[in-house]
Amino acid sequence: MDLTGWLLLAARVVVVFFVLLIAVMLVVWLERKLVADMQTRIGPNRAGPFGILITLADGVKLFFKEGITPAEADRPVYLVAPLISMLPAFLAFAVIPFGRPTTIAGHEVPFQIADLNVGILWVLAMTSVAIYGVVLAGWSSGSTYPLLGSIRSSAQMISYEVGMGLALVAVVMYSGTVSMSGIVAKQNHVWNVIPQFPAFVVYLICALAEVNRPPFDLAEAESELVAGFHTEYSGIRFALFYLGEYVNTVTVSAIAVTLFLGGWRGWWPFHGAAAWLGPVLWFVLKVTAVIYVYILVRGTLPRMRYDRLMNFGWKYLIPFGLFWVLATGAIVVLPDRYGHRRGAFIATGLIVATWLVMSLVKQLLEAPGTPMTEDVAA
């Protein structure tokens, strides 16, 4: 790679970083306005036109606010934890293609920071690293409440990451590649949301729990644990956790668009000078639509109780994710082995039979008088 290539790569990194920061500012404003409309309130209307600069004003306030470090805190870990919680969200976005490649100064420039051939594995790795920020923040604060909040939040994130991983495995099996740009290329005729709709629903639910958004926001359950793992944080350090949560929301929405909604592909193409701009606009519109759904969920559903949250993840989402992985394998392999018509018939029969067996086993396990039920009651 020559000097021009390095400069173009650096330009993409800087542009993506600042666009994500601006996107967080707009998403926070949009969320506050939509929830205010749902609750018949006015919402932010003071800073800037329509109150759109309210997030910037809050950021400036938190930046100049005094940061207090607890006396019992492990200071190095306490200071690094917010960065560990925020950076993986930016790094996960590096493998997401947000437009069609174009040519600049004789160089083909992909609208993607890095086109890794193991893009989905990179995304899973970054979501796993984010858990360390939560654990270290609670442990290093030197207080009981943040420690309990970090343990609870990390257990939640790990549990729902398993379900999210199963949803991604189904997409990989159906697409035949783990590259993010390759998955987008496979959706040139039919978006994955149609053949992989169950995996899409599982992913959306698990992503909500992964980023600690309502109704899975047990990390901020004020009535139970004050404010969770970041109870002892204030000022700019708390703002980094806040920023990381919303960057994570944008990132998981972009991943959903890339894997299930065709990525930057739209219903009609753009030609001429707008050939590079059209795919970017389609990508932004789709990400905004997914974020809009997340905001509606926040304003509609109440917070789940922790035991029900974990029960839902381990007893429903993960078994269903395993079932859909098996079903996807049957859908992909059997038509090639036995012909499309006969293979589709066999795959459908296996899926229905497996679903019936799972339902029967679930009823037997939850029936009164079984050993598992008696142990739980005791």
Side-chain angles (χ1 to χ4, degrees):
M1 184 183 294
D2 57 6
L3 179 60
T4 305
W6 284 107
L7 291 176
L8 291 173
L9 175 60
R12 293 202 304 273
V13 173
V14 173
V15 168
V16 169
F17 178 76
F18 281 101
V19 167
L20 283 175
L21 292 180
I22 296 173
V24 168
M25 184 177 70
L26 296 177
V27 167
V28 174
W29 170 80
L30 179 64
E31 182 171 40
R32 294 175 69 174
K33 292 294 282 188
L34 287 177
V35 174
D37 290 339
M38 295 178 70
Q39 299 173 350
T40 320
R41 296 186 289 107
I42 297 176
N45 64 344
R46 294 293 182 183
F50 306 104
I52 200 169
L53 298 179
I54 186 66
T55 310
L56 180 62
D58 290 340
V60 172
K61 178 189 70 174
L62 287 172
F63 183 81
F64 289 102
K65 188 175 181 180
E66 180 184 5
I68 300 173
T69 303
E72 301 297 326
D74 189 318
R75 187 175 178 81
V77 181
Y78 178 84
L79 297 178
V80 171
L83 297 176
I84 298 177
S85 183
M86 179 191 66
L87 286 179
F90 286 97
L91 295 176
F93 203 92
V95 298
I96 297 176
F98 51 89
R100 189 193 303 273
T102 187
T103 302
I104 299 177
H107 291 73
E108 186 180 27
V109 180
F111 277 61
Q112 184 181 12
I113 295 178
D115 186 10
L116 300 181
N117 56 356
V118 288
I120 289 186
L121 298 181
W122 173 264
V123 169
L124 290 174
M126 291 302 102
T127 55
S128 300
V129 171
I131 300 174
Y132 286 95
V134 173
V135 175
L136 294 176
W139 173 80
S140 63
S141 296
S143 177
T144 304
Y145 284 122
L147 179 60
L148 293 175
S150 66
I151 293 173
R152 187 165 74 169
S153 297
S154 59
Q156 168 188 325
M157 295 170 71
I158 293 172
S159 301
Y160 279 83
E161 190 174 347
V162 175
M164 186 173 69
L166 292 173
L168 299 186
V169 167
V171 175
V172 169
M173 293 173 61
Y174 187 80
S175 302
T177 177
V178 293
S179 169
M180 303 293 275
S181 58
I183 293 176
V184 173
K186 292 287 186 179
Q187 302 179 70
N188 57 341
H189 297 299
V190 179
W191 294 354
N192 284 339
V193 68
I194 297 176
Q196 290 290 317
F197 183 76
F200 177 63
V201 175
V202 171
Y203 174 83
L204 289 182
I205 296 174
C206 292
L208 272 179
E210 186 76 12
V211 298
N212 289 321
R213 284 188 58 83
F216 305 107
D217 59 334
L218 273 300
E220 295 96 12
E222 295 88 353
S223 60
E224 301 176 15
L225 291 176
V226 186
F229 62 91
H230 47 57
T231 299
E232 301 292 345
Y233 283 87
S234 60
I236 189 63
R237 299 165 192 165
F238 171 79
L240 291 178
F241 282 116
Y242 195 78
L243 175 65
E245 178 179 327
Y246 277 91
V247 173
N248 265 314
T249 302
V250 176
T251 300
V252 297
S253 301
I255 294 171
V257 169
T258 303
L259 298 183
F260 297 99
L261 300 178
W264 47 263
R265 298 183 180 276
W267 287 291
W268 64 84
F270 287 75
H271 301 286
W276 67 271
L277 181 61
V280 176
L281 291 178
W282 278 118
F283 183 82
V284 172
L285 288 175
K286 293 177 184 179
V287 172
T288 304
V290 176
I291 292 174
Y292 184 82
V293 172
Y294 281 163
I295 294 174
L296 291 184
V297 170
R298 170 171 188 164
T300 304
L301 299 180
R303 178 182 292 135
M304 294 183 67
R305 207 171 65 191
Y306 186 73
D307 59 334
R308 293 181 178 177
L309 181 144
M310 299 298 287
N311 180 77
F312 179 67
W314 285 100
K315 290 187 178 181
Y316 293 92
L317 280 184
I318 293 179
F320 182 78
L322 289 170
F323 162 76
W324 187 248
V325 168
L326 295 175
T328 301
I331 293 171
V332 171
V333 174
L334 292 181
D336 292 336
R337 183 177 294 271
Y338 298 102
H340 289 285
R341 183 174 299 179
R342 186 180 177 187
F345 179 78
I346 295 174
T348 304
L350 289 175
I351 292 171
V352 173
T354 305
W355 181 258
L356 292 176
V357 171
M358 289 177 61
S359 300
L360 179 61
V361 171
K362 179 178 178 296
Q363 291 179 2
L364 292 175
L365 291 176
E366 295 182 353
T370 58
M372 179 177 293
T373 308
E374 291 177 354
D375 293 341
V376 173

